[in-house]
Amino acid sequence: MKVLGIGAHPDDIEIFMYGLLSIFKKEGHQVYTMIATDGAKGGAYTGYKLAKERANEAISGLEKLSLPIFLNLPDGELGAELGHRKIIKENILKIMPDLIITHSENDYHADHKSLSLITKGAVSHYIPILYCDTLMGINFHPNYYVDITNYQESKKEAVLKHKTQKPDRFVDLIELMNSYRAAQCNAPKGNYAEAYSFVPSFPFSDIREILPAPLKLRPFHIENQHGFL
Ligand SMILES: [Zn+2]
């Protein structure tokens, strides 16, 4: 199966979907990654120099998954022109993945929202889309949790490659978010999960068949159950 992760900025795939993509890779699937904008506005300086540096950081961050495809659309202005949709759609169709993972339209950043809506509008009737968690989980209602405990260390290492982004703060963020998502499923401390949302639409009413196994069920009322509560 071909799985495509699309992030708005050069560090988004690592922060929001690295664990699940690592599982797909381990299971023998073909993993593709695509970065929509050039990230030229997110740093201590801006412009071409930053974009080039961030592209190298992304190549290094994603080296265990795939060589990213860079669309180089303008940072902070994704979706401002109709041509952006055409470029995104054409590049998705070149790969023709069996599953797309991208941002939620409820996420905090305008580029994340735009990418989500563009992707949905362009291909959701023939490619199923799984939406990744929002920053701090705000306005996000997951219906699929996946255990990424075995990949949390390599996820941190990948995030740390983004030196222009002061990455320590994002390492703190994923520590908090991924342990909270695991605790929501009653997994004990030291476990990590990523949370996703799938919105059914014809003909993809149920896509569980193509997703890795969800987080283990841990009832909290059973004695000696190894859980958070
Ligand atoms: Zn972003």
Side-chain angles (χ1 to χ4, degrees):
M1 191 170 90
K2 292 181 187 175
V3 181
L4 169 63
I6 318 177
H9 305 110
D11 55 352
D12 286 327
I13 291 172
E14 289 87 328
I15 294 169
F16 295 100
M17 55 186 91
Y18 191 90
L20 178 56
L21 289 175
S22 300
I23 292 169
F24 274 117
K25 180 96 182 176
K26 176 91 195 312
E27 289 184 350
H29 298 287
Q30 285 174 265
V31 171
Y32 296 80
T33 53
M34 189 181 286
I35 298 166
T37 76
D38 60 9
K41 286 189 185 143
Y45 47 94
T46 57
Y48 177 72
K49 184 171 177 267
L50 177 63
K52 199 162 182 299
E53 205 155 329
R54 293 196 71 186
N56 286 329
E57 289 172 349
I59 289 169
S60 172
L62 296 172
E63 66 188 352
K64 286 184 184 162
L65 295 180
S66 79
L67 185 65
I69 298 156
F70 296 97
L71 303 187
N72 288 315
L73 295 168
D75 190 5
E77 292 168 50
L78 193 60
E81 290 174 28
L82 269 181
H84 296 177
R85 177 185 160 132
K86 190 167 179 277
I87 290 168
I88 291 168
K89 184 172 180 173
E90 279 174 3
N91 278 279
I92 291 173
L93 295 186
K94 262 190 229 165
I95 297 167
M96 206 53 210
D98 301 288
L99 174 69
I100 292 173
I101 305 172
T102 194
H103 300 289
S104 158
E105 65 184 74
N106 291 332
D107 206 358
Y108 79 112
H109 196 293
D111 287 342
H112 294 205
K113 294 176 201 282
S114 292
L115 178 61
S116 185
L117 291 169
I118 289 171
T119 307
K120 184 162 111 181
V123 299
S124 69
H125 54 300
Y126 45 86
I127 303 170
I129 302 174
L130 190 65
Y131 298 99
C132 63
D133 216 335
T134 58
L135 193 68
M136 288 299 187
I138 295 168
N139 278 328
F140 192 72
H141 304 289
N143 51 19
Y144 171 61
Y145 290 75
V146 65
D147 185 346
I148 64 154
T149 308
N150 291 339
Y151 301 96
Q152 188 70 0
E153 271 314 305
S154 45
K155 175 170 173 162
K156 278 183 190 169
E157 283 166 21
V159 168
L160 284 169
K161 304 280 184 176
H162 293 267
K163 293 200 168 58
T164 62
Q165 303 303 298
K166 298 181 200 144
D168 287 348
R169 60 194 171 134
F170 292 113
V171 168
D172 290 347
L173 173 98
I174 61 173
E175 173 70 26
L176 187 68
M177 285 282 300
N178 297 141
S179 51
Y180 171 63
R181 290 309 193 189
Q184 282 189 311
C185 301
N186 199 27
K189 210 175 163 197
N191 279 257
Y192 298 92
E194 282 174 349
Y196 292 86
S197 162
F198 174 71
V199 182
S201 76
F202 188 83
F204 310 115
S205 303
D206 188 344
I207 63 161
R208 282 175 294 179
E209 186 193 348
I210 60 168
L211 299 179
L215 218 72
K216 192 180 159 196
L217 202 69
R218 289 183 167 95
F220 71 93
H221 52 80
I222 295 173
E223 266 188 62
N224 302 320
Q225 171 80 13
H226 187 47
F228 190 77
L229 293 180

